[in-house]
């Protein structure tokens, strides 16, 4: 009888230790994934902030030197929103590991990071919309670009609230 109880206790303790080890390993991997995501998101935010600083620069000195249709007035500044340029942000770690991220990142952190990823992607799409405004033949490109620029400002301020332009 004593051997049976000892064997049963051994099985129970072994099972508990295995479970604790699995939980510890999962949390450690989750914290590493979270750290990698934080770095990737911060790089994207830095790129967005730099791009907004570039797009928000006053281009009034360029009047007369370039096609006036590419210039848009906003808040007392002349912005060169029609400049030919691309802006792409890739999130390779997020894209490659989304299934694992969902499984091992705590819900609170996942929601925050997911919201940031959505804003980053919205920014890239809206930036493309600005450039497309100057390529369409119908409508007012300056008005469309200005509205897209305002949307970019709002996205920037949601994503990076402490860094003004």
């Amino acid at each position: 009888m004593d051997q049976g109880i000892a064997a049963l206790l051994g099985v129970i303790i072994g099972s508990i230790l295995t479970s604790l080890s699995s939980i510890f390993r999962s949390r450690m991997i989750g914290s590493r994934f979270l750290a990698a995501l934080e770095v990737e998101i911060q790089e994207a935010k830095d790129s967005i902030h730099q791009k907004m600083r570039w797009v928000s620069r006053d281009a009034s000195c360029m009047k007369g030197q370039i096609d006036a249709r590419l210039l848009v007035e906003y808040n007392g500044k002349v912005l060169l929103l029609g400049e030919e340029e691309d802006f792409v942000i890739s999130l390779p770690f997020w894209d490659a590991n989304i299934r694992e991220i969902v499984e091992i990142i705590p819900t609170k952190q996942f929601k925050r990071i997911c919201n940031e990823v959505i804003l980053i992607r919205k920014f890239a799409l809206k930036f493309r919309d600005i450039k497309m405004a100057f390529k369409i033949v119908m409508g007012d490109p300056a008005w469309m670009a200005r509205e897209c620029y305002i949307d970019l400002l709002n996205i920037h301020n949601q994503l990076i609230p402490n860094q003004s332009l």
Side-chain angles (χ1 to χ4, degrees):
M1 185 78 164
D2 288 337
Q3 289 178 342
I5 292 173
L8 182 62
L9 283 174
V11 169
I12 291 172
I13 291 173
S15 177
I16 290 171
L17 290 176
T18 302
S19 295
L20 288 174
S21 173
S22 177
I23 290 169
F24 178 74
R25 189 176 318 114
S26 177
R27 286 187 183 231
M28 189 168 40
I29 292 171
S31 69
R32 288 179 182 163
F33 269 59
L34 188 58
L37 285 170
E38 294 287 354
V39 169
E40 187 169 82
I41 297 291
Q42 188 57 51
E43 285 180 19
K45 287 180 178 181
D46 292 345
S47 294
I48 285 171
H49 185 66
Q50 289 172 355
K51 182 54 73 176
M52 280 305 294
R53 288 182 62 208
W54 175 255
V55 171
S56 299
R57 74 195 186 284
D58 189 357
S60 57
C61 62
M62 300 178 117
K63 280 186 173 180
Q65 297 176 8
I66 61 169
D67 186 349
R69 292 176 295 170
L70 303 177
L71 298 172
V72 175
E73 290 191 32
Y74 177 74
N75 264 3
K77 288 193 328 190
V78 176
L79 305 174
L80 178 55
L81 298 182
E83 183 177 17
E84 275 291 323
E85 61 181 324
D86 288 327
F87 184 67
V88 177
I89 297 180
S90 61
L91 300 169
F93 188 78
W94 172 269
D95 293 334
N97 298 292
I98 187 65
R99 181 172 295 176
E100 292 85 0
I101 290 167
V102 170
E103 291 175 355
I104 62 177
I105 300 286
T107 303
K108 186 176 180 181
Q109 285 94 344
F110 177 77
K111 285 181 179 180
R112 179 183 52 79
I113 288 174
C114 189
N115 184 50
E116 290 177 335
V117 167
I118 289 168
L119 289 170
I120 289 166
R121 295 211 165 129
K122 279 184 180 180
F123 185 93
L125 290 172
K126 192 56 71 172
F127 188 85
R128 187 170 54 219
D129 289 347
I130 281 181
K131 302 310 173 179
M132 291 301 295
F134 293 95
K135 294 180 181 180
I136 60 172
V137 293
M138 297 180 66
D140 181 358
W143 180 84
M144 289 186 282
R146 187 180 309 105
E147 292 302 310
C148 288
Y149 177 77
I150 292 168
D151 290 343
L152 283 181
L153 283 173
N154 289 331
I155 294 167
H156 173 273
N157 292 339
Q158 287 177 51
L159 194 59
I160 315 165
N162 300 331
Q163 290 188 346
S164 61
L165 298 170

